[in-house]
Amino acid sequence: MSLRIFNTLSRAVSEFSPAEPGHVRLYVCGMTVYDLCHLGHARSMIAFDVVQRWLKASGYQVTYVRNVTDIDDKIIKRALENGETIRSLTDRMIDALHQDADALGIERPQHEPRATDYVPQMLRMIGTLEAKGLAYQAGNGDVNFSVRKFPGYGKLSGKSLYELHAGERVAVETDKQDPLDFVLWKSAKPTEPEDVKWASPFGAGRPGWHIECSAMACELLGETFDIHGGGADLQFPHHENEIAQSEGANGLPLARFWMHNGFINVDNEKMSKSLGNFFTIRDVLKEFDAETVRFFIVRSHYRSSLNYSDVHLSDAKGALKRLYTALQAVPPANVTVDWAEPLAARFKAAMDEDFGTPEAVAVLFELASEVNRSGSPERSGLLKALGALLGLLQTDPTTYLQAGAGLDEAAIQQHIQARADAKKAKNFAEADRIRNDLLAQGIVLKDAATGTTWESVQ
């Protein structure tokens, strides 16, 4: 079975093969770095981390680009509020992004371009659009894209021109020829700091939001590449505008496949900073370990909405511990995945059908049940190997299961020995007291023929 991907552009699941045999070019819209990343950002980063992992596992070379927007109205506002330079703010936020992504087991892309390093490429594209009559300079100095002059506008979102609103993050300017037009180059304002002003043929200013990705993607991956990804909220206007300006300038399709991950919701509303209902990755990691957070996201399909709550994360924690318990009971052998093996074949079929992680995770639980029944190190090894393709199950099982305990190992072993002594003396009330005291400190004891072990309930 070959890989099939849901293409937002065609609104259908289609067979995928890269334009260059064996080599996939993937571009994903990254973060605007004015604040810490929230769980919605984690959802997108993890979704496309799984995509690139599976592409590589399928034998493809992958060139993965995830950009950083480091110039933006919100960045300027935050830097001025903080009394720091744009570069100081964005450097700090990029470092924080890397720390959060690394904690979640997200592999870094091969290229992570910053918008401010690609202003010359943006200006060349804007110049081409102006020469083709698709862009104009307004009276206020801004350069805008003329939406109605691009015949294919609306093909990604499926919206007609009558339904559309201006694709800007700020209010419509009266200097626009049409309210649908969007800004490519923002003319500098006297009140703005000097470090957000670049010289250009259109006067001093800075790039608009949409032109950044077009310039960076085309520079690093070519004028047409295989997959463009991002959150569902970017489908319109950002990705619609990327298509218009890129295809308007180059005369070629920008991306062959468009992929969009679903939202994380809180009380049935999208998690976002603008709504104020967001939880930063760092805040969530204070309560739950990083692999639980990753598992919570991976066990839902990337295109589906995902409801956030402590209850859902606690459930994910318990489910993940069941997988690790199987690995702890039967140490895994080092295995090479045989894709003809029935459960491995089911895992592959799930992933090949639009990266179907819920079905793939179900295979992991079937394998864990087999491990518990058979005691087979090879089946345990297959469980660990398939988990790796989702970025899961690579921690030492005992380390994972005991993480977050309220006591150190030596103290816990002393309690276990004291309980064993009490049971030997038939003082079962004391044995129960010790067990309950440990449980109150987040430690659960597990009795077996081979002895008593423990794990954390945190």
Side-chain angles (χ1 to χ4, degrees):
M1 181 178 176
S2 58
L3 177 62
R4 287 158 40 90
I5 299 176
F6 182 86
N7 188 352
T8 308
L9 188 62
S10 65
R11 294 163 185 77
V13 177
S14 305
E15 186 170 326
F16 173 80
S17 60
E20 178 189 341
H23 183 193
V24 179
R25 292 177 172 86
L26 167 65
Y27 185 93
V28 176
C29 286
M31 267 46 76
T32 300
V33 286
Y34 71 98
D35 205 343
L36 296 173
C37 293
H38 61 62
L39 205 58
H41 298 134
R43 209 288 165 87
S44 183
M45 287 192 288
I46 289 173
F48 289 101
D49 181 60
V50 170
V51 166
Q52 63 91 23
R53 282 173 186 261
W54 185 246
L55 289 169
K56 290 191 290 189
S58 301
Y60 292 113
Q61 174 193 350
V62 179
T63 301
Y64 178 20
V65 180
R66 187 184 68 217
N67 77 293
V68 172
T69 295
D70 62 343
I71 184 65
D72 171 89
D73 290 339
K74 294 177 181 178
I75 292 173
I76 296 170
K77 181 175 182 291
R78 182 61 55 84
L80 289 172
E81 290 171 348
N82 293 351
E84 63 181 324
T85 65
I86 300 297
R87 188 74 185 199
S88 171
L89 171 63
T90 56
D91 281 352
R92 282 195 301 106
M93 291 299 102
I94 290 170
D95 286 344
L97 183 159
H98 287 156
Q99 291 167 19
D100 292 344
D102 291 348
L104 293 169
I106 297 165
E107 295 179 348
R108 295 197 186 183
Q110 286 92 337
H111 301 281
E112 199 172 29
R114 297 172 66 132
T116 53
D117 291 334
Y118 287 79
V119 173
Q121 290 87 342
M122 298 176 207
L123 287 169
R124 284 200 296 271
M125 184 171 280
I126 294 170
T128 299
L129 290 169
E130 185 187 45
K132 289 187 173 185
L134 292 170
Y136 62 91
Q137 188 160 21
N140 64 356
D142 290 354
V143 180
N144 299 318
F145 185 91
S146 186
V147 166
R148 294 186 190 273
K149 291 183 181 179
F150 181 73
Y153 196 83
K155 62 185 176 182
L156 182 68
S157 59
K159 299 177 184 291
S160 70
L161 291 178
Y162 297 102
E163 298 175 284
L164 297 175
H165 300 289
E168 294 186 59
R169 286 184 168 183
V170 293
V172 174
E173 300 287 347
T174 56
D175 293 79
K176 290 182 177 179
Q177 294 175 359
D178 189 298
L180 294 179
D181 296 347
F182 60 87
V183 67
L184 300 168
W185 185 257
K186 292 189 174 187
S187 179
K189 297 178 176 61
T191 55
E192 292 177 335
E194 290 304 311
D195 58 353
V196 301
K197 299 175 183 177
W198 282 263
S200 85
F202 315 105
R206 57 187 168 88
W209 176 37
H210 311 298
I211 196 67
E212 297 173 4
C213 286
S214 289
M216 290 186 281
C218 292
E219 178 73 12
L220 292 168
L221 297 176
E223 293 176 347
T224 299
F225 50 92
D226 296 299
I227 301 172
H228 194 314
D233 56 329
L234 299 180
Q235 184 177 339
F236 180 83
H238 185 50
H239 289 164
E240 195 76 72
N241 291 349
E242 277 190 61
I243 289 174
Q245 63 203 9
S246 302
E247 297 185 5
N250 301 325
L252 296 169
L254 177 59
R256 299 169 59 246
F257 280 76
W258 288 82
M259 296 178 63
H260 293 93
N261 65 272
F263 299 135
I264 288 187
N265 295 329
V266 178
D267 295 330
N268 296 314
E269 282 193 300
K270 171 199 163 192
M271 182 183 291
S272 70
K273 289 177 180 173
S274 60
L275 294 174
N277 65 345
F278 67 94
F279 298 88
T280 68
I281 295 171
R282 295 188 172 195
D283 286 342
V284 175
L285 292 183
K286 292 175 184 175
E287 302 297 326
F288 296 92
D289 68 274
E291 192 166 351
T292 290
V293 176
R294 185 181 180 96
F295 180 73
F296 164 70
I297 290 171
V298 165
R299 69 175 179 174
S300 295
H301 192 269
Y302 77 90
R303 285 194 287 118
S304 66
S305 294
L306 183 57
N307 289 312
Y308 170 86
S309 73
D310 284 357
V311 171
H312 289 136
L313 276 163
S314 294
D315 179 70
K317 173 76 171 179
L320 185 59
K321 287 177 76 170
R322 292 200 298 275
L323 297 177
Y324 267 113
T325 298
L327 292 175
Q328 183 190 46
V330 183
N334 290 324
V335 301
T336 299
V337 177
D338 175 8
W339 293 111
E341 189 279 330
L343 284 179
R346 278 182 50 199
F347 184 98
K348 184 178 188 304
M351 293 299 290
D352 277 344
E353 186 63 17
D354 195 30
F355 307 97
T357 56
E359 296 82 1
V361 167
V363 169
L364 299 184
F365 281 99
E366 287 193 41
L367 263 173
S369 296
E370 279 196 13
V371 170
N372 292 331
R373 286 195 305 269
S374 68
S376 167
E378 287 72 26
R379 304 308 278 167
S380 185
L382 180 59
L383 171 60
K384 182 177 180 179
L386 294 179
L389 300 176
L390 302 177
L392 301 170
L393 305 181
Q394 302 309 293
T395 302
D396 173 73
T398 299
T399 300
Y400 181 81
L401 292 169
Q402 294 182 351
L407 295 174
D408 62 27
E409 174 72 17
I412 294 169
Q413 290 302 330
Q414 287 177 358
H415 283 79
I416 290 174
Q417 184 59 54
R419 177 172 174 267
D421 293 342
K423 289 173 70 176
K424 188 174 180 180
K426 300 189 183 304
N427 187 351
F428 299 112
E430 175 64 8
D432 288 344
R433 185 195 66 76
I434 292 171
R435 174 189 283 275
N436 291 334
D437 282 353
L438 287 173
L439 186 60
Q441 297 180 74
I443 297 152
V444 60
L445 299 183
K446 302 174 73 175
D447 294 322
T450 55
T452 300
T453 59
W454 66 275
E455 65 182 54
S456 170
V457 295
Q458 300 301 315

